[in-house]
Coordinates of all heavy atoms in Angstrom, one line a residue:
M61 N -44.6 21.7 33.5 CA -43.3 22.2 33.9 C -42.4 21.0 33.9 O -41.3 21.2 33.5 CB -43.5 22.8 35.3 CG -42.3 23.5 35.7 SD -42.1 25.0 34.7 CE -40.9 25.8 35.7
R62 N -42.9 19.8 34.4 CA -42.0 18.7 34.4 C -41.5 18.3 33.0 O -40.5 17.7 32.8 CB -42.7 17.5 35.1 CG -42.7 17.6 36.6 CD -43.4 16.3 37.1 NE -43.4 16.5 38.6 CZ -43.9 15.5 39.4 NH1 -44.5 14.5 38.8 NH2 -43.9 15.7 40.6
V63 N -42.5 18.3 32.0 CA -42.2 18.0 30.7 C -41.0 18.8 30.2 O -40.1 18.4 29.5 CB -43.4 18.1 29.8 CG1 -43.1 17.9 28.3 CG2 -44.6 17.2 30.3
L64 N -41.0 20.1 30.4 CA -40.0 21.0 30.0 C -38.7 20.6 30.7 O -37.7 20.6 30.0 CB -40.3 22.6 30.2 CG -41.5 23.1 29.4 CD1 -41.7 24.5 29.9 CD2 -41.0 23.1 27.9
F65 N -38.7 20.3 32.0 CA -37.5 19.9 32.6 C -36.8 18.6 31.8 O -35.6 18.6 31.7 CB -37.8 19.6 34.0 CG -36.6 19.0 34.8 CD1 -35.5 19.6 35.2 CD2 -36.6 17.6 35.0 CE1 -34.4 19.0 35.8 CE2 -35.6 17.0 35.8 CZ -34.4 17.6 36.0
W66 N -37.7 17.7 31.6 CA -37.1 16.4 31.1 C -36.7 16.5 29.6 O -35.8 16.0 29.2 CB -38.3 15.3 31.1 CG -38.4 14.7 32.5 CD1 -39.4 14.9 33.3 CD2 -37.5 13.9 33.3 NE1 -39.2 14.3 34.6 CE2 -38.1 13.7 34.5 CE3 -36.2 13.5 33.0 CZ2 -37.4 13.0 35.5 CZ3 -35.6 12.7 33.9 CH2 -36.2 12.6 35.2
L67 N -37.4 17.3 28.9 CA -37.0 17.8 27.5 C -35.7 18.4 27.5 O -34.9 18.1 26.7 CB -38.1 18.6 26.9 CG -37.9 19.0 25.4 CD1 -37.9 17.7 24.6 CD2 -39.1 19.8 25.0
A68 N -35.5 19.4 28.4 CA -34.2 20.1 28.5 C -33.1 19.2 28.9 O -32.0 19.2 28.4 CB -34.4 21.3 29.5
L69 N -33.4 18.3 29.8 CA -32.4 17.3 30.2 C -32.0 16.3 29.2 O -30.8 16.0 28.9 CB -32.9 16.5 31.4 CG -31.9 15.4 32.1 CD1 -30.7 16.2 32.6 CD2 -32.6 14.7 33.1
I70 N -33.0 16.0 28.3 CA -32.7 15.0 27.1 C -31.8 15.8 26.2 O -30.9 15.3 25.6 CB -34.0 14.6 26.5 CG1 -34.7 13.6 27.6 CG2 -33.8 13.9 25.2 CD1 -36.0 13.1 27.2
V71 N -32.2 17.1 25.9 CA -31.5 17.9 24.9 C -30.0 18.0 25.4 O -29.0 17.9 24.6 CB -32.1 19.2 24.6 CG1 -31.2 20.1 23.9 CG2 -33.4 19.0 24.0
L72 N -29.8 18.3 26.6 CA -28.5 18.6 27.1 C -27.6 17.2 27.1 O -26.5 17.2 26.8 CB -28.5 19.0 28.6 CG -29.0 20.5 28.9 CD1 -29.1 20.7 30.4 CD2 -28.0 21.3 28.2
I73 N -28.2 16.1 27.4 CA -27.6 14.7 27.2 C -27.2 14.5 25.9 O -26.1 14.1 25.5 CB -28.4 13.7 27.8 CG1 -28.5 13.9 29.4 CG2 -27.9 12.3 27.6 CD1 -29.5 13.0 30.1
Y74 N -28.1 14.7 24.9 CA -27.8 14.5 23.6 C -26.7 15.5 23.1 O -25.8 15.0 22.3 CB -29.1 14.9 22.7 CG -28.9 14.6 21.3 CD1 -28.8 13.5 20.6 CD2 -28.9 15.8 20.4 CE1 -28.6 13.3 19.3 CE2 -28.6 15.8 19.1 CZ -28.6 14.5 18.5 OH -28.4 14.4 17.2
A75 N -26.6 16.6 23.4 CA -25.6 17.6 23.0 C -24.2 17.2 23.6 O -23.3 17.2 23.0 CB -25.9 19.0 23.5
A76 N -24.3 16.7 24.8 CA -23.1 16.2 25.4 C -22.5 15.0 24.8 O -21.3 14.8 24.5 CB -23.2 16.0 26.9
L77 N -23.4 14.0 24.4 CA -23.0 12.8 23.8 C -22.3 13.2 22.3 O -21.5 12.5 21.9 CB -24.0 11.8 23.6 CG -24.5 11.1 24.9 CD1 -25.8 10.3 24.7 CD2 -23.4 10.3 25.5
R78 N -23.0 14.2 21.6 CA -22.5 14.4 20.3 C -21.2 15.1 20.4 O -20.3 14.8 19.6 CB -23.5 15.4 19.6 CG -24.6 14.7 18.9 CD -25.4 15.7 18.2 NE -24.7 16.4 17.1 CZ -24.8 16.2 15.8 NH1 -25.5 15.2 15.4 NH2 -24.1 17.0 14.9
K79 N -20.9 15.9 21.4 CA -19.7 16.5 21.6 C -18.6 15.6 21.9 O -17.5 15.7 21.4 CB -19.8 17.6 22.8 CG -18.5 18.5 22.9 CD -18.7 19.5 24.0 CE -17.4 20.4 24.2 NZ -17.6 21.3 25.1
K80 N -18.9 14.6 22.8 CA -18.1 13.4 23.1 C -17.6 12.7 21.8 O -16.4 12.5 21.6 CB -18.5 12.6 24.2 CG -17.7 11.6 24.7 CD -16.7 12.3 25.8 CE -16.2 11.1 26.6 NZ -15.1 11.7 27.5
A81 N -18.6 12.5 21.0 CA -18.4 11.5 19.9 C -17.5 12.4 18.8 O -16.6 11.8 18.2 CB -19.7 11.2 19.2
A82 N -17.7 13.6 18.8 CA -17.0 14.5 17.8 C -15.5 14.5 18.4 O -14.5 14.6 17.5 CB -17.6 15.9 17.7
Q83 N -15.2 14.7 19.6 CA -13.8 14.7 20.2 C -13.2 13.4 19.9 O -12.0 13.4 19.5 CB -14.0 15.0 21.7 CG -14.3 16.3 22.1 CD -14.4 16.5 23.5 OE1 -14.6 15.5 24.2 NE2 -14.4 17.8 24.0
K84 N -13.9 12.3 20.0 CA -13.3 10.9 19.8 C -12.9 10.9 18.2 O -11.8 10.3 17.9 CB -14.2 9.8 20.1 CG -14.3 9.5 21.6 CD -15.1 8.3 21.9 CE -15.1 7.9 23.2 NZ -15.9 6.6 23.6
M85 N -13.7 11.3 17.4 CA -13.5 11.3 15.9 C -12.3 12.1 15.7 O -11.5 11.7 14.8 CB -14.8 11.8 15.2 CG -14.6 11.7 13.7 SD -14.5 10.0 13.2 CE -16.3 9.6 13.2
R86 N -12.2 13.4 16.2 CA -10.9 14.2 15.9 C -9.7 13.6 16.4 O -8.7 13.6 15.7 CB -11.2 15.5 16.5 CG -12.1 16.5 15.7 CD -12.0 17.9 16.2 NE -12.5 18.1 17.6 CZ -13.8 18.2 18.0 NH1 -14.8 18.3 17.1 NH2 -14.1 18.4 19.2
A87 N -9.7 12.9 17.7 CA -8.7 12.2 18.2 C -8.2 11.1 17.3 O -7.0 10.9 17.0 CB -8.9 11.8 19.6
A88 N -9.1 10.4 16.8 CA -8.8 9.1 15.9 C -8.3 9.7 14.6 O -7.3 9.1 14.1 CB -10.1 8.3 15.6
Q89 N -8.9 10.7 14.1 CA -8.3 11.3 12.8 C -6.7 11.8 13.1 O -6.0 11.6 12.2 CB -9.1 12.5 12.3 CG -8.7 13.1 11.1 CD -8.8 12.1 9.8 OE1 -9.7 11.3 9.9 NE2 -8.0 12.5 8.8
A90 N -6.5 12.5 14.2 CA -5.2 13.0 14.5 C -4.2 11.9 14.6 O -3.1 11.9 14.1 CB -5.3 13.9 15.7
E91 N -4.6 10.7 15.2 CA -3.8 9.6 15.4 C -3.5 9.0 14.0 O -2.4 8.5 13.8 CB -4.5 8.6 16.3 CG -3.7 7.3 16.5 CD -2.2 7.4 17.2 OE1 -2.1 8.4 17.9 OE2 -1.4 6.7 16.7
Y92 N -4.5 8.9 13.2 CA -4.3 8.3 11.9 C -3.4 9.2 11.0 O -2.4 8.6 10.5 CB -5.7 8.3 11.2 CG -5.6 7.8 9.7 CD1 -5.3 6.5 9.4 CD2 -5.6 8.7 8.7 CE1 -5.2 6.1 8.0 CE2 -5.6 8.4 7.2 CZ -5.3 7.0 7.0 OH -5.2 6.7 5.7
E93 N -3.4 10.5 11.1 CA -2.5 11.3 10.4 C -1.1 11.3 11.0 O -0.2 11.3 10.2 CB -3.1 12.9 10.4 CG -4.3 13.0 9.6 CD -5.0 14.4 9.7 OE1 -4.5 15.2 10.6 OE2 -6.0 14.6 9.0
A94 N -1.0 11.1 12.2 CA 0.4 11.0 12.9 C 0.9 9.7 12.5 O 2.1 9.7 12.2 CB 0.1 11.1 14.4
Q95 N 0.2 8.7 12.5 CA 0.8 7.4 11.9 C 1.1 7.5 10.6 O 2.2 6.8 10.2 CB -0.3 6.2 12.2 CG 0.2 4.9 11.9 CD -0.8 3.8 12.2 OE1 -1.9 4.1 12.7 NE2 -0.4 2.6 12.0
A96 N 0.4 8.0 9.7 CA 0.6 8.2 8.4 C 2.0 8.9 8.1 O 2.7 8.6 7.2 CB -0.5 8.8 7.6
A97 N 2.2 10.0 8.9 CA 3.4 10.8 8.9 C 4.6 9.9 9.3 O 5.7 10.2 8.7 CB 3.3 12.0 9.7
R98 N 4.4 9.0 10.2 CA 5.6 8.2 10.8 C 6.0 7.0 9.8 O 7.1 6.6 9.7 CB 5.3 7.6 12.1 CG 5.2 8.5 13.2 CD 5.1 7.8 14.6 NE 3.9 6.9 14.7 CZ 2.8 7.3 15.3 NH1 2.6 8.4 15.8 NH2 1.8 6.3 15.3
T99 N 5.0 6.5 9.0 CA 5.2 5.6 8.1 C 6.0 6.0 6.9 O 5.6 7.0 6.2 CB 3.8 5.0 7.6 OG1 3.0 4.5 8.8 CG2 4.0 3.8 6.7
P100 N 7.1 5.5 6.6 CA 7.9 5.8 5.5 C 7.2 5.6 4.2 O 6.5 4.5 4.0 CB 9.2 5.0 5.5 CG 8.8 3.7 6.4 CD 7.7 4.2 7.4
Q101 N 7.3 6.5 3.3 CA 6.6 6.3 2.0 C 7.5 5.4 1.1 O 8.7 5.3 1.2 CB 6.5 7.7 1.2 CG 5.7 8.7 2.1 CD 4.3 8.3 2.2 OE1 3.7 7.7 1.3 NE2 3.8 8.6 3.4
A102 N 6.8 4.6 0.3 CA 7.4 3.7 -0.6 C 8.3 4.5 -1.7 O 7.8 5.5 -2.1 CB 6.4 2.8 -1.4
A103 N 9.5 4.0 -2.0 CA 10.3 4.6 -2.9 C 9.6 4.5 -4.3 O 9.1 3.5 -4.5 CB 11.7 4.0 -2.8
P104 N 9.9 5.4 -5.1 CA 9.3 5.3 -6.4 C 9.9 4.0 -7.1 O 11.0 3.7 -7.0 CB 9.7 6.5 -7.2 CG 10.4 7.4 -6.2 CD 10.6 6.6 -5.0
S105 N 9.1 3.3 -7.8 CA 9.5 2.1 -8.4 C 10.5 2.4 -9.5 O 10.5 3.4 -10.2 CB 8.4 1.2 -9.0 OG 7.6 2.0 -9.9
A106 N 11.4 1.5 -9.8 CA 12.3 1.7 -10.9 C 11.7 1.5 -12.2 O 10.6 0.9 -12.4 CB 13.4 0.5 -10.7
A107 N 12.2 2.1 -13.2 CA 11.7 2.1 -14.4 C 11.6 0.7 -15.0 O 12.5 -0.1 -14.7 CB 12.6 3.0 -15.4
A108 N 10.7 0.4 -15.8 CA 10.5 -0.9 -16.4 C 11.7 -1.3 -17.2 O 12.4 -0.5 -17.9 CB 9.3 -1.0 -17.4
E109 N 12.1 -2.5 -17.1 CA 13.4 -3.0 -17.8 C 12.8 -3.9 -19.0 O 11.9 -4.6 -18.9 CB 14.2 -3.8 -16.9 CG 15.6 -4.0 -17.3 CD 16.5 -4.7 -16.2 OE1 16.1 -4.7 -15.1 OE2 17.5 -5.2 -16.6
N110 N 13.7 -3.8 -20.1 CA 13.5 -4.7 -21.2 C 13.6 -6.1 -20.7 O 14.5 -6.5 -20.1 CB 14.3 -4.4 -22.4 CG 14.0 -3.1 -23.0 OD1 12.9 -2.6 -22.9 ND2 15.1 -2.4 -23.8
M111 N 12.7 -7.0 -21.4 CA 12.9 -8.4 -21.2 C 13.3 -9.0 -22.4 O 13.1 -8.6 -23.5 CB 11.4 -9.0 -20.8 CG 10.8 -8.4 -19.7 SD 11.6 -8.8 -18.1 CE 11.1 -10.4 -17.8
V112 N 14.2 -10.0 -22.2 CA 14.8 -10.8 -23.3 C 14.5 -12.3 -23.0 O 14.2 -12.7 -22.0 CB 16.3 -10.5 -23.5 CG1 16.6 -9.1 -23.8 CG2 17.0 -10.8 -22.1
Q113 N 14.7 -13.1 -24.2 CA 14.4 -14.5 -24.1 C 15.7 -15.3 -24.2 O 16.6 -14.9 -25.1 CB 13.5 -14.8 -25.3 CG 12.9 -16.2 -25.2 CD 12.0 -16.6 -26.3 OE1 12.0 -15.8 -27.5 NE2 11.1 -17.5 -26.2
C114 N 15.8 -16.3 -23.4 CA 17.0 -17.1 -23.5 C 17.0 -18.1 -24.8 O 16.0 -18.5 -25.1 CB 17.1 -18.1 -22.2 SG 18.4 -19.3 -22.2
A115 N 18.2 -18.1 -25.4 CA 18.2 -19.0 -26.6 C 18.1 -20.4 -26.4 O 17.7 -21.2 -27.2 CB 19.5 -18.6 -27.4
A116 N 18.3 -20.9 -25.2 CA 18.3 -22.2 -24.8 C 16.9 -22.7 -24.3 O 16.4 -23.6 -24.8 CB 19.5 -22.6 -23.8
C117 N 16.5 -22.0 -23.3 CA 15.2 -22.4 -22.7 C 14.0 -21.6 -23.0 O 12.8 -21.9 -22.6 CB 15.4 -22.5 -21.1 SG 15.7 -21.0 -20.4
Q118 N 14.1 -20.6 -23.8 CA 13.0 -19.7 -24.2 C 12.3 -19.0 -23.0 O 11.2 -18.4 -23.1 CB 11.9 -20.5 -24.9 CG 12.5 -21.4 -25.9 CD 13.5 -20.8 -27.0 OE1 13.1 -19.7 -27.4 NE2 14.6 -21.4 -27.1
V119 N 12.9 -18.8 -21.8 CA 12.5 -18.1 -20.7 C 12.8 -16.6 -20.8 O 13.8 -16.3 -21.2 CB 13.0 -18.7 -19.4 CG1 12.6 -17.7 -18.2 CG2 12.6 -20.1 -19.2
Y120 N 11.8 -15.8 -20.5 CA 12.0 -14.4 -20.5 C 12.6 -13.9 -19.2 O 12.0 -14.3 -18.2 CB 10.7 -13.7 -20.8 CG 10.4 -13.8 -22.3 CD1 9.5 -14.7 -22.7 CD2 10.8 -12.7 -23.3 CE1 9.2 -14.9 -24.1 CE2 10.5 -12.8 -24.6 CZ 9.7 -13.9 -25.0 OH 9.3 -14.1 -26.3
F121 N 13.5 -12.9 -19.2 CA 14.2 -12.5 -18.1 C 14.6 -11.1 -18.3 O 14.7 -10.6 -19.5 CB 15.3 -13.4 -17.5 CG 16.3 -13.5 -18.7 CD1 17.5 -12.8 -18.6 CD2 16.2 -14.6 -19.5 CE1 18.4 -12.9 -19.6 CE2 17.1 -14.7 -20.5 CZ 18.2 -13.9 -20.6
P122 N 15.0 -10.2 -17.2 CA 15.4 -8.9 -17.5 C 16.7 -8.8 -18.1 O 17.7 -9.6 -18.0 CB 15.7 -8.4 -16.0 CG 14.9 -9.2 -15.2 CD 14.8 -10.6 -15.8
E123 N 16.9 -7.8 -19.1 CA 18.0 -7.6 -19.9 C 19.3 -7.5 -19.0 O 20.4 -7.9 -19.4 CB 17.8 -6.5 -20.8 CG 18.8 -6.4 -21.9 CD 18.5 -5.2 -22.9 OE1 17.8 -4.3 -22.4 OE2 19.0 -5.3 -24.0
S124 N 19.2 -6.9 -17.9 CA 20.4 -6.7 -17.1 C 21.0 -8.1 -16.5 O 22.2 -8.0 -16.2 CB 20.0 -5.8 -15.9 OG 19.1 -6.5 -15.1
E125 N 20.2 -9.1 -16.6 CA 20.7 -10.4 -16.1 C 21.2 -11.3 -17.2 O 21.6 -12.4 -17.0 CB 19.7 -11.2 -15.3 CG 19.2 -10.4 -14.1 CD 18.0 -11.0 -13.4 OE1 17.6 -12.2 -13.7 OE2 17.3 -10.5 -12.6
A126 N 21.1 -10.8 -18.6 CA 21.6 -11.6 -19.6 C 23.0 -11.9 -19.7 O 23.9 -11.1 -19.3 CB 21.1 -10.8 -20.8
V127 N 23.3 -13.1 -20.2 CA 24.7 -13.6 -20.5 C 24.8 -13.7 -22.1 O 23.9 -14.4 -22.6 CB 24.9 -14.9 -19.9 CG1 26.2 -15.5 -20.2 CG2 24.8 -14.8 -18.4
V128 N 25.6 -12.8 -22.7 CA 25.7 -12.9 -24.0 C 26.9 -13.7 -24.5 O 28.1 -13.6 -24.0 CB 25.8 -11.5 -24.6 CG1 26.0 -11.5 -26.2 CG2 24.7 -10.5 -24.2
H129 N 26.7 -14.7 -25.3 CA 27.8 -15.7 -25.8 C 27.7 -15.9 -27.2 O 26.5 -16.3 -27.7 CB 27.7 -17.0 -24.9 CG 28.6 -18.0 -25.4 ND1 30.1 -17.9 -25.0 CD2 28.5 -19.2 -26.0 CE1 30.7 -18.9 -25.5 NE2 29.8 -19.8 -26.1
E130 N 28.6 -15.5 -28.0 CA 28.6 -15.7 -29.5 C 27.4 -15.0 -30.1 O 26.8 -15.6 -31.0 CB 28.8 -17.1 -29.8 CG 30.0 -17.9 -29.4 CD 30.0 -19.3 -29.8 OE1 29.1 -19.9 -30.3 OE2 31.1 -19.9 -29.5
G131 N 27.1 -13.9 -29.6 CA 26.0 -13.0 -30.2 C 24.6 -13.6 -29.8 O 23.7 -12.9 -30.3
R132 N 24.5 -14.6 -29.0 CA 23.2 -15.1 -28.6 C 23.0 -14.6 -27.1 O 23.9 -14.5 -26.4 CB 23.1 -16.5 -28.8 CG 23.2 -16.8 -30.3 CD 23.1 -18.3 -30.6 NE 21.8 -18.5 -31.0 CZ 21.2 -19.7 -31.1 NH1 22.0 -20.7 -30.9 NH2 19.9 -19.9 -31.5
I133 N 21.8 -14.6 -26.6 CA 21.5 -14.1 -25.2 C 21.0 -15.4 -24.5 O 20.1 -16.1 -25.0 CB 20.3 -13.1 -25.3 CG1 20.8 -11.8 -26.0 CG2 19.9 -12.7 -23.8 CD1 19.9 -10.8 -26.2
Y134 N 21.5 -15.6 -23.3 CA 21.2 -16.6 -22.5 C 20.9 -16.1 -21.1 O 21.2 -15.2 -20.6 CB 22.4 -17.6 -22.4 CG 22.8 -18.2 -23.7 CD1 23.7 -17.8 -24.5 CD2 22.1 -19.4 -24.1 CE1 24.1 -18.3 -25.6 CE2 22.5 -19.8 -25.4 CZ 23.4 -19.4 -26.1 OH 23.7 -19.9 -27.4
C135 N 20.1 -17.0 -20.3 CA 19.7 -16.6 -19.0 C 20.8 -17.0 -17.9 O 20.8 -16.4 -16.8 CB 18.4 -17.4 -18.6 SG 18.4 -19.0 -18.5
S136 N 21.8 -17.8 -18.2 CA 22.8 -18.2 -17.3 C 24.0 -18.7 -18.0 O 24.1 -18.9 -19.2 CB 22.3 -19.3 -16.3 OG 22.0 -20.5 -17.2
Q137 N 25.0 -18.7 -17.2 CA 26.4 -19.3 -17.7 C 26.2 -20.7 -18.2 O 26.8 -21.1 -19.2 CB 27.5 -19.1 -16.8 CG 27.9 -17.8 -16.4 CD 28.7 -17.1 -17.6 OE1 29.2 -17.8 -18.6 NE2 28.8 -15.8 -17.6
E138 N 25.5 -21.5 -17.5 CA 25.2 -22.9 -17.8 C 24.6 -23.1 -19.1 O 25.1 -23.9 -20.0 CB 24.4 -23.6 -16.7 CG 25.1 -23.7 -15.4 CD 25.0 -22.5 -14.6 OE1 24.1 -21.6 -14.8 OE2 25.8 -22.3 -13.7
H139 N 23.6 -22.2 -19.5 CA 23.0 -22.3 -20.8 C 23.9 -21.7 -21.9 O 23.9 -22.3 -23.1 CB 21.6 -21.5 -20.8 CG 20.5 -22.3 -20.1 ND1 19.2 -21.8 -20.0 CD2 20.6 -23.6 -19.5 CE1 18.6 -22.8 -19.4 NE2 19.3 -23.8 -19.1
A140 N 24.6 -20.8 -21.6 CA 25.6 -20.1 -22.6 C 26.7 -21.2 -23.0 O 27.0 -21.3 -24.2 CB 26.2 -19.0 -22.1
G141 N 27.1 -22.0 -22.1 CA 28.2 -23.0 -22.4 C 27.7 -24.2 -22.9 O 28.3 -25.0 -23.6
S142 N 26.4 -24.7 -22.7 CA 25.9 -26.0 -23.1 C 25.1 -25.9 -24.4 O 24.8 -27.0 -25.0 CB 25.1 -26.6 -22.0 OG 23.9 -25.8 -21.8
H143 N 24.5 -24.8 -24.8 CA 23.7 -24.7 -26.0 C 24.5 -24.6 -27.3 O 25.3 -23.7 -27.3 CB 22.8 -23.6 -25.8 CG 21.6 -23.6 -26.8 ND1 20.6 -24.6 -26.7 CD2 21.2 -22.8 -27.9 CE1 19.8 -24.4 -27.8 NE2 20.2 -23.3 -28.4
P144 N 24.3 -25.5 -28.2 CA 25.0 -25.4 -29.5 C 24.6 -24.2 -30.3 O 23.5 -23.8 -30.2 CB 24.6 -26.7 -30.2 CG 23.4 -27.2 -29.7 CD 23.3 -26.6 -28.2
V145 N 25.5 -23.7 -31.0 CA 25.3 -22.5 -31.9 C 24.3 -22.7 -33.0 O 23.9 -23.2 -33.7 CB 26.6 -21.8 -32.3 CG1 26.2 -20.5 -33.1 CG2 27.5 -21.5 -31.1

């Protein structure tokens, strides 16, 4: 009779611990999902831009930053004014 009592007690304790662990897991998952909802999503990245090469220093840079002087492409006003044609 005592064996059945202890066995039933162990089963009840095991079931209670599993239930408690499952509740903690659900709470952690809910907190993670709530935090993910609060975090702003990254904006879609801009489309890739063409790269061009400076006629003076041979460095590649975005086409939108180019300085065109006498039909040649430069990375800055300084290079556009100082580089011979």
Side-chain angles (χ1 to χ4, degrees):
M61 193 66 164
R62 284 185 178 176
V63 173
L64 288 176
F65 170 75
W66 288 110
L67 185 61
L69 185 62
I70 290 172
V71 169
L72 287 174
I73 291 172
Y74 178 75
L77 290 175
R78 275 187 61 102
K79 185 176 180 180
K80 185 83 164 168
Q83 287 174 342
K84 282 186 177 181
M85 185 66 80
R86 281 193 297 273
Q89 181 68 24
E91 176 62 30
Y92 174 77
E93 290 172 357
Q95 184 179 2
R98 287 190 305 262
T99 304
Q101 299 297 323
S105 62
E109 191 173 347
N110 288 336
M111 301 295 281
V112 293
Q113 187 176 22
C114 177
C117 65
Q118 314 309 311
V119 171
Y120 285 92
F121 57 95
E123 189 174 26
S124 64
E125 298 175 16
V127 176
V128 179
H129 180 67
E130 296 179 356
R132 301 180 96 188
I133 298 173
Y134 298 95
C135 61
S136 66
Q137 289 290 344
E138 292 82 22
H139 281 181
S142 68
H143 192 67
V145 179

